[in-house]
Amino acid sequence: MLKMEELKQILKGEKPSPRVFLLWGEEDFLRAYYRKELMKRFMPENMAELNVFMFEGKQYRLGEVDEAIEGLPVFAEQKLLVFTDSQIFKPDGRTGAKAEYRDYWAKRLADIPDYVTIIFDESGVDKRSALLKQVDKMGGCVEFAYLGEDEMVRWTGQLFAKLGKKITAADARYLNEVTASGMMAIKREAEKLVAYVGDRPQVMRADIDLLVMPETENRVFDMVAAILKRDANGALRLLEDLFILKTEPLQILGAILYNAERLLYTRVLTEAGADKSQIMTKLKMSPFATSKFMKDSQQYSMEQLRYFVQRASETDEQMKSNSIENEVLLSLLVSELSTSI
């Protein structure tokens, strides 16, 4: 894999560049940033409209790709092709691109002219993919994983500083805990907070509590915790809050099942000897979520967590086939689990 320092050297022209780049990983903010920087670095100086080709999604004409690659640059020295979510780095045709696309690229990647640079920006890949390994051998494979907790706290502080405001490390950590995973979400919330505080030099925790609405996942995590603690009143109160916010019952149940499964999987992985980094990678969770799941999963037995997942799955089937109102089914589930686990 291409290391971040090596990527920066390529952008500065200090290191030879591969012809093909694959950018992937959960951290959308970094992926978007370095895609933009690579495009600036390899953008043809002349006639960009005739030398830059953008392909979106997994269905495009392979003939157009061949024409773009094989045709000489028009009044320029290089050409640039950018593919977004091509899905060719997933071997399974059901979730990824069709076999004909993967077969095409297996041959095409071995024959890229010197005047062509190709960037693949993928939201999801399979590390077992033969094409991924092929690009990695070419030296252009870069993974943008979530930053660690301390790194995110430092970055959040630096972000507020660039926006002209201060925030304590404790409040920066708190903001990360209540916000959706990743730098992009933190940037959106930071901009909103800075606009709200106006001339005040520092963002306070009270500002975060006022403006930053916890994601449905976080609210449901709290509800799951209340259920497992047999706090029926607290769990039902949190459920009612979600109903008031017009959150769809199926969305709530999906989040309940997600949280219950993550607690169970985290417990299984922990007992198998996996560390935090391995659990993050396996379950594709942010460092803050991983810490939370690792801590809470140890408070309950495997039997409790398995039963929780089983009942949530059964309720999901009921919602899709029962005439009873989904809100009623969900309330019954939360009430039952809060008293029986």
Side-chain angles (χ1 to χ4, degrees):
M1 295 290 173
L2 190 64
K3 296 179 180 178
M4 194 62 64
E5 189 55 41
E6 294 174 314
L7 179 58
K8 291 177 181 177
Q9 289 173 346
I10 289 171
L11 289 170
K12 293 176 183 176
E14 298 172 355
K15 179 181 173 67
S17 170
R19 299 259 57 85
V20 180
F21 291 91
L22 166 57
L23 313 181
W24 61 281
E26 296 89 359
E27 191 44 85
D28 297 341
F29 180 88
L30 287 177
R31 211 173 69 239
Y33 173 80
Y34 280 103
R35 166 181 158 160
K36 181 179 177 182
E37 291 301 302
L38 283 169
M39 288 184 67
K40 282 164 47 178
R41 169 72 176 80
F42 296 105
M43 183 68 68
E45 293 183 4
N46 299 315
M47 306 292 286
E49 66 275 12
L50 297 178
N51 293 302
V52 177
F53 302 85
M54 308 293 291
F55 298 89
E56 185 84 29
K58 60 183 182 179
Q59 294 188 0
Y60 46 86
R61 290 183 56 230
L62 294 175
E64 289 183 4
V65 178
D66 269 335
E67 290 174 10
I69 291 175
E70 293 173 3
L72 291 172
V74 180
F75 300 113
E77 295 184 358
Q78 56 188 14
K79 302 175 82 171
L80 175 64
L81 282 71
V82 181
F83 294 81
T84 304
D85 280 331
S86 71
Q87 305 294 318
I88 64 168
F89 301 97
K90 292 181 179 179
D92 186 350
R94 291 172 298 176
T95 58
K98 293 180 180 178
E100 65 179 292
Y101 286 83
R102 299 196 304 275
D103 293 342
Y104 167 84
W105 282 108
K107 297 174 183 177
R108 182 78 262 186
L109 289 174
D111 184 25
I112 304 296
D114 291 341
Y115 55 79
V116 171
T117 297
I118 299 176
I119 301 172
F120 289 99
D121 179 4
E122 304 289 328
S123 58
V125 302
D126 187 327
K127 290 185 179 181
R128 299 167 296 179
S129 163
L131 286 175
L132 185 149
K133 294 174 182 176
Q134 192 173 348
V135 175
D136 194 26
K137 286 181 181 178
M138 298 170 73
C141 197
V142 192
E143 180 181 6
F144 297 99
Y146 285 127
L147 299 182
E149 289 185 50
D150 291 341
E151 288 179 293
M152 275 300 294
V153 170
R154 282 195 297 273
W155 179 82
T156 301
Q158 293 166 358
L159 173 63
F160 275 96
K162 286 180 181 178
L163 295 172
K165 301 296 178 185
K166 296 179 181 178
I167 188 171
T168 66
D171 287 347
R173 183 175 294 276
Y174 178 67
L175 177 60
N176 275 277
E177 288 172 351
V178 299
T179 303
S181 301
M183 300 165 81
M184 196 76 80
I186 292 294
K187 183 174 182 290
R188 286 195 297 268
E189 298 298 346
E191 290 170 344
K192 186 165 63 176
L193 285 161
V194 166
Y196 171 74
V197 301
D199 294 333
R200 183 152 42 90
Q202 184 160 336
V203 172
M204 312 296 288
R205 182 166 301 204
D207 302 320
I208 297 172
D209 287 336
L210 180 65
L211 289 188
V212 180
M213 293 294 289
E215 295 291 306
T216 299
E217 292 288 351
N218 286 335
R219 289 175 180 271
V220 171
F221 186 94
D222 292 339
M223 183 168 62
V224 168
I227 290 171
L228 290 167
K229 290 173 183 174
R230 300 195 174 189
D231 178 9
N233 289 334
L236 288 169
R237 187 166 56 250
L238 287 163
L239 179 61
E240 185 60 30
D241 288 344
L242 289 165
F243 287 156
I244 290 171
L245 291 170
K246 306 294 185 185
T247 312
E248 287 293 326
L250 275 171
Q251 182 185 353
I252 298 171
L253 181 58
I256 289 174
L257 188 54
Y258 172 88
N259 278 269
E261 287 176 337
R262 288 303 178 275
L263 282 167
L264 176 58
Y265 296 157
T266 300
R267 181 66 184 270
V268 170
L269 289 169
T270 301
E271 293 200 357
D275 61 19
K276 180 179 176 180
S277 176
Q278 291 170 322
I279 293 172
M280 277 179 59
T281 301
K282 186 75 175 176
L283 301 184
K284 300 186 184 304
M285 297 191 299
S286 75
F288 294 94
T290 305
S291 291
K292 193 157 46 173
F293 279 106
M294 288 181 73
K295 178 183 175 182
D296 284 14
S297 67
Q298 295 305 305
Q299 299 180 38
Y300 313 103
S301 70
M302 203 79 81
E303 290 71 27
Q304 284 178 300
L305 296 174
R306 285 197 179 106
Y307 180 72
F308 198 146
V309 172
Q310 177 190 335
R311 286 296 296 118
S313 299
E314 290 170 351
T315 302
D316 182 60
E317 292 179 9
Q318 282 183 286
M319 280 192 178
K320 293 169 182 173
S321 61
N322 204 303
S323 60
I324 300 176
E325 289 231 0
N326 285 349
E327 287 191 7
V328 174
L329 278 172
L330 202 47
S331 298
L332 289 172
L333 173 70
V334 171
S335 181
E336 176 205 331
L337 290 174
S338 299
T339 55
S340 63
I341 284 186

